[in-house]
Amino acid sequence: MALDEKHGAEAGHMDATTVNTAISACAAARRADEAFRLQALGAARGVRADVVTITNLLLACCRDPAEAGGARALSTMRSALARGIRPDALCLHTLERAMGKGAEAQWRAQRALDELALEMGEPRG
């Protein structure tokens, strides 16, 4: 929340680059909850999420041990699709990583990606 206090509130300016950079820093620090709070703060200030925002949030899910299993990542991707944000290859790869390791996790990731592709109207082969 220092972003809001230090840059947003005083300067009155918050843009997508600032929000995305802060979310990326939270991901690197393994602080998924703070990354999601920053995204919500940006949204409240009128900053629209984009594919970079979503990829950074998914990366936060990958790196935070409390986020094992990928449920939050999958929910994030579904929300992005509902808002018209189209994932690119990096975003989809990051979602797959967020789903976890091991055979069962990879199966769930593949299934989730297939379902998301159908939701986007692009069946996977």
Side-chain angles (χ1 to χ4, degrees):
M1 296 302 110
L3 175 69
D4 184 42
E5 295 166 5
K6 194 173 195 179
H7 301 289
E10 291 177 13
H13 176 74
M14 183 182 281
D15 61 15
T17 301
T18 304
V19 172
N20 288 340
T21 301
I23 291 170
S24 178
C26 290
R30 300 177 184 268
R31 298 174 72 175
D33 286 341
E34 191 165 343
F36 280 88
R37 280 193 296 274
L38 285 167
Q39 191 278 322
L41 177 65
R45 297 238 174 160
V47 178
R48 294 183 53 157
D50 58 19
V51 71
V52 175
T53 310
I54 301 308
T55 302
N56 284 330
L57 290 171
L58 296 174
L59 189 57
C61 291
C62 289
R63 292 183 173 164
D64 191 328
E67 298 297 327
R72 189 178 204 178
L74 188 55
S75 173
T76 298
M77 182 60 79
R78 288 191 192 286
S79 175
L81 289 173
R83 289 180 285 163
I85 299 170
R86 307 230 1 129
D88 59 15
L90 178 60
C91 186
L92 292 172
H93 176 71
T94 307
L95 173 64
E96 189 173 16
R97 284 184 47 212
M99 298 298 288
K101 296 178 180 163
E104 183 178 338
Q106 290 304 306
W107 177 83
R108 282 186 287 127
Q110 188 62 47
R111 185 169 177 219
L113 289 171
D114 289 344
E115 289 174 5
L116 289 169
L118 287 173
E119 288 177 25
M120 293 186 317
E122 300 173 6
R124 290 169 46 108

